[in-house]
Amino acid sequence: MDKILVLDFGGQYNQLIARRIREQNVFAEVIPYKSITPEEIKAAGYKGIIFTGGPNSVYDPASPHFDPAVLGLGIPVLGICYGHQLMSWMAGGQVCTAAEKSEYGKVTVRMAACESLLFKGIPAESVCWMSHTDYVRTVPEGFAVTAVTGACPCAAMENAEKKLYGVQFHPEVTHTEFGTAMLRNFALGICGCARDWRMDDFCKKSVEKLREKIGSGRVLLALSGGVDSSVCAALLAEAVGSRLTCVFVDHGMMRKNEPSEVRNAFSKWNINFMGIDASERFLERLKGVAEPERKRKIIGEEFIRVFEDAAKQIGSVDYLAQGTIYPDVIESGLGDAAVIKSHHNVGGLPDLVDFKEILEPLRLLFKDEVRQLGRELGLPEYLVSRQPFPGPGLAIRIMGEITREKLDILREADAIFREEVEYFAAAGSLPEAASQFFAVLLNTRSVGVMGDARTYGYTVALRSVTTDDFMTADWTRLPYELLAHVGTRIPNEVRSVGRVVYDITSKPPATVEWE
Ligand code: XMP
């Protein structure tokens, strides 16, 4: 398979770059700049390299740098934003820091009269998305300026002979009008990649690889009933059939009726299914814990302990399988980006795990690719298009300490909100799709009045986001009528809730979940 390396210098859109390349059916993977050398890049057979953006200034000695030998490997390189400045700096160009030259947001970019392969088929003037203070003032020897903006004398540069390209703007964000076309030109036209990253292929190869790896061993799959673990179950069932046991753990922090729904859905499948009620032990371990990362770590570890116990019951289990996907891996801090939160199935894993190995067959996939794979495996649409539910469950939607009382309150409020959104969606009354929607219980109480008496109830926050990859998200423009309805129903129907608010923050700067 042809592949492109996205060399991560800490920018916030790095995953997006990989996704955009994969949308062209070319495999791309993100690797932190510290984890790989030019020799390893050469040996791994990458057909192209993309230097990502990053928050630093190339002149800062603490900023990420890379061995300039990478520019002489004969492999095409595209530098984006910081990556563009770094390439210039590595090749002897001049990069300047000048506050008055900052450009943020949409900017008109003009291509120089050139035959750039990167801009093939793209109009001479278009809109791009900029976010920078530093800029390239003088291009290195052998390079030519191929685009400018009003404030940026080198919005793009290239050394076509050496196949080195740099753009100051971000082609990976949708605000850059022809960004996808530029990335396609790079991957297909300049790097010459074949379009061989396809889900039917991935499915076939994964099944073969899993069969080879597992041999006659037995696998226990951590099944939550969500999209990722369900697709993982289908893939493993295809590979090893009855040597797979799917274990569903009710940790006591599921949504209303969810444990019974999952049991019912999967007991109809032709798989070994085991349901475990472990709510007591989880809630016991979480007593008095308010800090979000500690909650996540405790839950991650307790899951493993429950699975270890289940494995003893089943007898001779070799592998533990999980539906970990690519954003889980990255957001848990295994890339160069800062740790945002420890997804329980990655960053939340304890150091010692009593299994021969952990299998994560979806580890390389983005959410939309997981859904495609699910369809490829013949899973029903209602399962494949379900909204995600995080492994730690309601634990990260209750601010502060988790108690049974708070869990009960949140379950009821959440069920009302979801029921209303689903009702509006089914009636075609949502102006845009709500990708994930849920309620959050705050630690804040506030004063109200009900039946002439003072109340002092909890605050429930409603969260609904619209996104296609969950790496970035916007808040859903839910109709006022829906919000008004939920705002009336929740305080009326859920004891102890006195106030309902709607979260209008996008990701970034917020995350989808509150903890
Ligand atoms: P955030 O809050 O990181 O969420 O913006 C992005 C997506 O990931 C889900 N999420 C998780 N999923 N284990 C999971 O399986 C986790 O620990 C976890 N934390 C967040 C979240 O629901 C959203 O869909």
Side-chain angles (χ1 to χ4, degrees), residues 430-434 466 474-478:
L430 291 187
E432 58 188 14
T466 297
D474 198 4
W475 59 279
T476 316
R477 274 39 171 191
L478 291 178

Side-chain angles (χ1 to χ4, degrees), residues 197-266:
W197 171 248
R198 294 201 331 262
M199 272 312 117
D200 51 349
D201 240 40
F202 177 86
C203 185
K204 224 171 71 207
K205 285 186 192 140
S206 299
V207 167
E208 280 164 17
K209 269 201 257 170
L210 285 166
R211 278 191 190 139
E212 198 178 306
K213 164 137 219 143
I214 297 164
S216 57
R218 294 194 67 88
V219 185
L220 183 160
L221 170 75
L223 178 79
S224 70
V227 181
D228 307 340
S229 61
S230 302
V231 172
C232 200
L235 187 67
L236 281 160
E238 181 83 18
V240 298
S242 61
R243 276 176 289 112
L244 167 73
T245 305
C246 297
V247 177
F248 165 69
V249 176
D250 175 6
H251 53 20
M253 292 162 293
M254 309 297 280
R255 289 169 290 192
K256 190 175 178 183
N257 299 331
E258 195 156 31
S260 55
E261 281 168 15
V262 174
R263 281 171 204 266
N264 289 342
F266 286 91

Side-chain angles (χ1 to χ4, degrees), residues 380-505:
E381 193 55 35
Y382 79 88
L383 248 181
V384 173
S385 54
R386 273 190 90 182
Q387 64 164 307
F389 183 62
L394 301 183
I396 55 170
R397 294 177 180 174
I398 290 176
M399 301 302 99
E401 190 186 352
I402 300 152
T403 62
R404 283 186 188 278
E405 185 214 9
K406 286 181 177 174
L407 280 164
D408 288 341
I409 294 171
L410 180 56
R411 270 193 198 103
E412 292 305 319
D414 181 67
I416 292 171
F417 181 45
R418 284 190 296 123
E419 183 186 314
E420 292 296 339
V421 176
E422 277 157 15
Y423 177 81
F424 272 69
S429 308
L430 291 187
E432 58 188 14
S435 317
Q436 191 175 10
F437 40 97
F438 52 87
V440 176
L441 187 65
L442 309 195
N443 246 337
T444 315
R445 287 181 175 229
S446 67
V447 174
V449 54
M450 261 187 185
D452 294 334
R454 179 186 191 270
T455 59
Y456 190 53
Y458 282 108
T459 305
V460 163
L462 309 175
R463 179 80 163 138
S464 177
V465 292
T466 297
T467 172
D468 56 359
D469 60 8
F470 297 90
M471 301 294 296
T472 58
D474 198 4
W475 59 279
T476 316
R477 274 39 171 191
L478 291 178
Y480 281 172
E481 196 192 341
L482 188 166
L483 291 171
H485 204 51
V486 177
T488 308
R489 273 193 70 189
I490 291 179
N492 280 347
E493 295 176 35
V494 188
R495 193 181 45 85
S496 317
V497 176
R499 203 170 285 259
V500 179
V501 298
Y502 187 46
D503 180 350
I504 51 163
T505 343

